[in-house]
Structure formats: structure tokens, C-alpha cells
């Protein structure tokens, strides 16, 4: 009953980064079906990288983790959104496993995948432009985690945009930047300068 939006979103992100999308199939929550679908693309050696989304959290039944245990190292990173991540190889093809919540998936792609993709293809400017901007409101952030919030950048001012939870995709779709609050930050007051990733 939930519309699948991650494949379209990540395919667009890969193309925007300069890559070519070969396929973006969706599978159900079945380990064997997932493995079969994955191996159709890795065994032939026709792809340079596989990106999956979903099935990597700490639940009792996580299809990607169950299917790729031993081939992929699954970790939790001190980041919000996007804590569960994984990386490894399947049939000698590199694979990145991103979380399933839409905002987590795209933020994780921006932080971990996009710069590496562009660097691997020897494209210019692998990193998004970053600068500081004046925050227009008070914000809080969980200490011990690097937080990325959706934002709207207007000149030298930035406003946090929408709730911080990772399932609020609408605000990410119309944001033009990410506000980065580091691990040591618990509160930021309006008028302070914050780090901004420019997505324009």
C-alpha cells in the first residue's frame, strides 16, 4: 500500500551524478527472489556498481541483510537520517546497500555514493558545493550524530524545511540544500552560520 518511489529517485540521482542506469527492478520480501534478481545483473559483469535500498535495518526480517550476509559489511553510522548502511561485493561487483526510508536513501546517496561515483568516473567537482549560511530559526540536533536537514537557501540565509524524520519526502523534493549539523551540535540559534550543501 506504499508507493515505491526510491528506484525512480535514486535512478535520477545516479543520472544527475553522471552515471548510466542499466535497470531498476523491484523485488518482494523474499530472500531467494532478491538473490536471483541481483545475480541476473552481477553475474554477467555488465554493471560497475549495484545500489540497493531497503532491507538493511535492525528488524527481525531484513531481506538484503539476510541475503547478503558475509558478502556485505553492514554497519550503523552516526548520521541522521541514514544510520544503517552496507558495502561489499557480489560476483565481484561492488554493491552499496542504502536504507529504505526515502529521505535516508537520498541523503545517504548524496553523502556516500555521489562523490565516489563522480570521482571514479573522473568527473569534475565530485562533491556538492558547500558554504555557510545564516540560519533563520532555532534548531536542535541529537548529539553524537551528524544530522542532515532539508533546507531552503535564499541568498545568504537558510531555513530548515519540513520535519527532520526520514519519511517526509515531500519536503526533500522541494528543498534546494541540506543543512549539516555536526556530531557535537545539540542546539543552533537563529542568526548563527551553519554548513550548507547546495543541491541546486
Amino acid at each position: 500500500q506504499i508507493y515505491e518511489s526510491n528506484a525512480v529517485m535514486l535512478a535520477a540521482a545516479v543520472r544527475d551524478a553522471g552515471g548510466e542506469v542499466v535497470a531498476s527492478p523491484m523485488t518482494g520480501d523474499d530472500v531467494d527472489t532478491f538473490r536471483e534478481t541481483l545475480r541476473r545483473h552481477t553475474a554477467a559483469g555488465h554493471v560497475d556498481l549495484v545500489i540497493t535500498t531497503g532491507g538493511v535495518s535492525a528488524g527481525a526480517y531484513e531481506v538484503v541483510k539476510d541475503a547478503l550476509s558475509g558478502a556485505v559489511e553492514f554497519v550503523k553510522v552516526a548520521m541522521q537520517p541514514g544510520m544503517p548502511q552496507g558495502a561489499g561485493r557480489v560476483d565481484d561487483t561492488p554493491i552499496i546497500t542504502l536504507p529504505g526510508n526515502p529521505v535516508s536513501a537520498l541523503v545517504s546517496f548524496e553523502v556516500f555514493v555521489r562523490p565516489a561515483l563522480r570521482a571514479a568516473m573522473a568527473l569534475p567537482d565530485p562533491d556538492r558545493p558547500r558554504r555557510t549560511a545564516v540560519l533563520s530559526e532555532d534548531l536542535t540536533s541529537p548529539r553524537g550524530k551528524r544530522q542532515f536537514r532539508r533546507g531552503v537557501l535564499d541568498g545568504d540565509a537558510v531555513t530548515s524545511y519540513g520535519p527532520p524524520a526520514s519519511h517526509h519526502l515531500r519536503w526533500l523534493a522541494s528543498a534546494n540544500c541540506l543543512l549539516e549539523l555536526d556530531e557535537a551540535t545539540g542546539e543552533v540559534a537563529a542568526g548563527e552560520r551553519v554548513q550548507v550543501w547546495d543541491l541546486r
Side-chain angles (χ1 to χ4, degrees):
Q1 294 178 349
I2 299 173
Y3 289 102
E4 202 293 298
S5 61
N6 284 12
V8 174
M9 176 181 70
L10 290 171
V14 168
R15 291 185 188 104
D16 181 68
E20 179 185 346
V21 178
V22 175
S24 53
M26 182 178 69
T27 68
D29 288 338
D30 179 80
V31 168
D32 291 335
T33 302
F34 172 75
R35 282 184 180 143
E36 181 184 338
T37 303
L38 183 62
R39 292 239 151 82
R40 273 204 309 268
H41 298 285
T42 59
H46 294 152
V47 298
D48 299 308
L49 174 69
V50 171
I51 301 171
T52 68
T53 176
V56 297
S57 296
Y61 187 65
E62 300 290 344
V63 173
V64 174
K65 282 179 88 170
D66 293 345
L68 299 180
S69 178
V72 169
E73 181 181 4
F74 295 98
V75 297
K76 294 180 179 178
V77 296
M79 184 173 96
Q80 184 188 56
M83 183 173 68
Q85 305 284 340
R89 286 182 175 269
V90 173
D91 294 324
D92 207 36
T93 301
I95 184 168
I96 304 291
T97 64
L98 302 178
N101 275 332
V103 178
S104 298
L106 191 58
V107 169
S108 298
F109 180 89
E110 286 290 336
V111 173
F112 299 116
V113 184
R114 188 181 195 277
L117 266 183
R118 290 187 63 81
M121 293 185 288
L123 294 174
D125 305 316
D127 295 312
R128 291 283 192 185
R130 298 178 199 177
R131 62 187 181 92
T132 63
V134 178
L135 187 63
S136 63
E137 72 213 285
D138 297 340
L139 289 180
T140 60
S141 181
R143 290 188 187 275
K145 290 185 180 181
R146 183 165 57 145
Q147 186 182 61
F148 289 90
R149 297 181 73 124
R150 286 131 280 186
V152 174
L153 188 60
D154 183 13
D156 193 43
V158 66
T159 303
S160 176
Y161 187 53
S166 59
H167 62 284
H168 294 291
L169 184 57
R170 177 170 70 87
W171 286 274
L172 181 61
S174 48
N176 65 10
C177 69
L178 295 174
L179 282 73
E180 179 184 0
L181 305 175
D182 67 27
E183 297 90 335
T185 300
E187 297 178 358
V188 187
E192 291 188 41
R193 299 193 77 86
V194 293
Q195 175 92 339
V196 171
W197 293 34
D198 194 338
L199 303 179
R200 294 175 294 185

